[in-house]
Amino acid sequence: MEIIVPNFKRYSDGEIDRAFMQEIKNGFKLERETEKQRVAVAAKEAQELKGTTHPVLGKPVATIPAREFFRLTKKYGHETVHSKEFLKYYNKKFPELSPNKI
């Protein structure tokens, strides 16, 4: 019985480290680019919501991209992100993402 061993190219630790670091750098660059796109979509949504009122929920006061929202809730907690003080800060910091003021 013959054992077939594939002839894979072997990589050195230095090559693997360089490839890994390049992947991390490209990942951060891609994340920044997609974040800009997500913010643009949220800004467009905020523009459409200006002056509107939901019959049950009331006035929309902020649009936050989903990834940013989940990062904030993980870091500061659900109550903090939904607090009136935070929403006032968010309105001031990101006026393009705030369709109506509190």
Side-chain angles (χ1 to χ4, degrees), residues 25-56:
K25 289 177 186 177
N26 289 343
F28 284 138
K29 181 180 176 187
L30 180 63
E31 180 64 25
R32 279 192 300 273
E33 291 171 1
T34 56
E35 183 66 22
K36 288 177 186 176
Q37 292 171 350
R38 288 190 290 268
V39 169
V41 168
K44 182 180 176 190
E45 181 180 325
Q47 196 65 20
E48 293 170 357
L49 292 173
K50 265 192 181 166
T52 63
T53 302
H54 189 277
V56 176

Side-chain angles (χ1 to χ4, degrees), residues 1 3 7 11 16 30 40-41 57 61 64-65 73 84 96:
M1 182 162 145
I3 298 175
N7 188 11
Y11 295 99
I16 292 171
L30 180 63
V41 168
L57 302 174
V61 293
I64 303 174
T73 55
K84 193 171 186 174
E96 72 278 4

Side-chain angles (χ1 to χ4, degrees), residues 64 69 73 77-87 102:
I64 303 174
F69 174 76
T73 55
H78 186 76
E79 284 110 26
T80 303
V81 174
H82 286 86
S83 71
K84 193 171 186 174
E85 295 81 24
F86 177 81
L87 291 172
I102 291 181

Side-chain angles (χ1 to χ4, degrees), residues 65-95:
R67 281 191 182 183
E68 186 64 24
F69 174 76
F70 290 118
R71 285 184 194 135
L72 289 170
T73 55
K74 184 177 181 183
K75 186 173 183 179
Y76 299 111
H78 186 76
E79 284 110 26
T80 303
V81 174
H82 286 86
S83 71
K84 193 171 186 174
E85 295 81 24
F86 177 81
L87 291 172
K88 283 182 180 181
Y89 164 78
Y90 192 82
N91 281 336
K92 191 182 293 183
K93 182 84 173 165
F94 302 103

